[in-house]
Amino acid sequence: MVGTVTDETTDQPIEGAMVRLADFAGSVRETLSGPAGGFVFDGVVPGEYVFGVRRIGYEGLSTPLEIGPDALATLNLRLTPRAILMEPLNVDIEGRPPRLAETGFYDRLEEGWGTYFEPEWIRTRSAGFIRLSHFVSNLQMRAPLSRCSQVPVYYDERLIGQAAGWGTSKAASINAAGLHRSAVGPAPRILDELSVTDVGAAELYTPPAPIPLFAFNDTTAACGAIILWSDWTARTAEVPQIEVKLCEPAGRPGEVALDGFVEDELTEVRLPAAHVYASYAIPDGAGRSDLAVRTDSLGRYRLCDLPAGVAVELEAAYGPDPGLSTVVDAASGTEVQLTVPVTVPGAITGLVVNEGTGRPFQNVPVVLVGTDFRAVTGTAGRFSIEDLPPGSYRIRAVCEGFESIAQDVALVPGASVRVMLALRPEGPLPPRRCAD
């Protein structure tokens, strides 16, 4: 089975698209499209499959595919660039980044609720600062300090820790434990990931100023809040072109290289420009060595010239989102897949009923058309399909002897959508195994 992947608007080949072929027995095969957009699956047996293609910056494709005994012609797949939906903006001041305007930053600036630092101010006054916590202290010197000893800090609407408030003589390092799964907080190198170069704009609020709704709670009402926006948010809405050159091993005896990919944990889309951190004990007992590299445009990374056989702790991060660490032994040819929970999953729950009687159905399959996501109703006719990537789905209940009308569902990140699926008898005597 062969095919090509191209851009629908430019007809140019797409390199690095994740092409997936899954059968209904649970077997999954994956490959990446090459520089000319081509891909190949060898030894595909006839049968029914779910075929999918994903690439960052494009709409995903997923569709049922039946492969017969005769060889398939070349599949020509055309991906549509992922549109970024925005409400119309009336921009009166030149240079306002659309993504920052979407957050309501400029609306709040015009209201004058707090103290505001626009992208140009951040760029021209961040020289000499590296750690984000130190730069936050600099921002507070230009605004009234809260009377609380600690002030909550938000980054792109997410609580990332506390900074020093009134009566303190030294800036407190931001404790990002709230973003990470470790109860004691992340290792120091993760704190270094949040540097001044990651900030594109900032807002500071001191009581009794109104607090934006996403940050409003009892603590911020009493102590105020520091709200930071990433440099990515402050830029334009274009998908950035990432150019990262992977290292080349020197080939010295006793040294090896580790290769792998960094993926979104939920969607399995590979992440360009993600950070990969590595740490290992130096064999002669001279302490530990810490390395940091970035993935290239295809989400690949490489760590060169590692001592063969050492235990290497690996951890990936994509912006402020960290992944879980893993430990592997450095060996020639080792490839390690790392994941980062970037996409927030959603869920579809609901009830399957008899349209005529209103009574629930049990043991009825519920499927998302064109995907391998499915569930079965319980004794009360309820079902739940969880850990779903955001997107548009068509959901259907399947029961022999009953007519089912599919429903379209739009799922946003972190949402749980409830639906009711009604089955209509196709004849007077449907099979008893599907009776309510």
Side-chain angles (χ1 to χ4, degrees), residues 273-293:
H275 285 77
V276 176
Y277 302 98
S279 178
Y280 63 89
I282 301 174
D284 60 8
R288 297 188 66 84
S289 178
D290 296 313
L291 304 173
V293 298

Side-chain angles (χ1 to χ4, degrees), residues 140-194:
Q140 289 178 286
M141 293 174 62
R142 290 161 171 77
L145 281 177
S146 167
R147 292 186 174 273
C148 297
S149 60
Q150 299 289 312
V151 181
V153 179
Y154 289 79
Y155 185 78
D156 285 353
E157 299 191 6
R158 299 175 65 177
L159 179 65
I160 62 172
Q162 308 284 331
W166 177 80
T168 58
S169 58
K170 183 178 181 181
S173 295
I174 291 180
N175 175 13
L179 279 182
H180 300 268
R181 302 180 186 181
S182 169
V184 298
R189 63 179 182 274
I190 296 296
L191 297 181
D192 293 336
E193 170 70 14
L194 291 175

Side-chain angles (χ1 to χ4, degrees), residues 202-427:
E203 309 173 41
L204 273 65
Y205 295 92
T206 304
I211 306 292
L213 287 178
F214 67 82
F216 182 76
N217 53 54
D218 290 343
T219 301
T220 57
C223 298
I226 300 171
I227 297 173
L228 307 175
W229 299 105
S230 64
D231 185 51
W232 176 85
T233 304
R235 293 183 183 274
T236 61
E238 298 178 358
V239 176
Q241 298 297 316
I242 307 298
E243 299 206 1
V244 175
K245 186 176 181 180
L246 303 183
C247 64
E248 293 295 335
R252 292 185 290 265
E255 294 182 343
V256 297
L258 285 179
D259 291 84
F261 293 88
V262 178
E263 300 177 340
D264 180 6
E265 186 174 76
L266 180 65
T267 65
E268 298 181 354
V269 170
R270 294 184 174 173
L271 302 173
H275 285 77
V276 176
Y277 302 98
S279 178
Y280 63 89
I282 301 174
D284 60 8
R288 297 188 66 84
S289 178
D290 296 313
L291 304 173
V293 298
R294 301 192 82 168
T295 57
D296 65 8
S297 61
L298 302 180
R300 298 176 298 190
Y301 72 89
R302 180 178 298 137
L303 297 162
C304 297
D305 308 325
L306 302 175
V310 298
V312 183
E313 181 182 2
L314 297 173
E315 187 172 333
Y318 192 68
D321 298 304
L324 291 177
S325 63
T326 185
V327 178
V328 299
D329 292 331
S332 179
T334 300
E335 184 173 283
V336 183
Q337 304 289 105
L338 302 174
T339 61
V340 181
V342 176
T343 303
V344 181
I348 300 177
T349 62
L351 184 66
V352 180
V353 300
N354 186 315
E355 184 181 72
T357 66
R359 297 177 62 184
F361 281 92
Q362 61 177 322
N363 299 323
V364 170
V366 179
V367 300
L368 298 184
V369 179
T371 78
D372 52 3
F373 291 107
R374 58 194 60 230
V376 177
T377 59
T379 55
R382 300 188 182 278
F383 68 90
S384 178
I385 306 176
E386 301 178 348
D387 294 329
L388 292 174
S392 297
Y393 295 96
R394 173 160 287 191
I395 188 169
R396 183 191 299 274
V398 181
C399 187
E400 185 178 352
F402 287 82
E403 179 185 357
S404 173
I405 300 176
Q407 290 190 29
D408 293 324
V409 177
L411 190 63
V412 300
S416 179
V417 178
R418 294 181 59 85
V419 298
M420 177 176 289
L421 303 175
L423 297 179
R424 179 184 306 160
E426 293 180 340

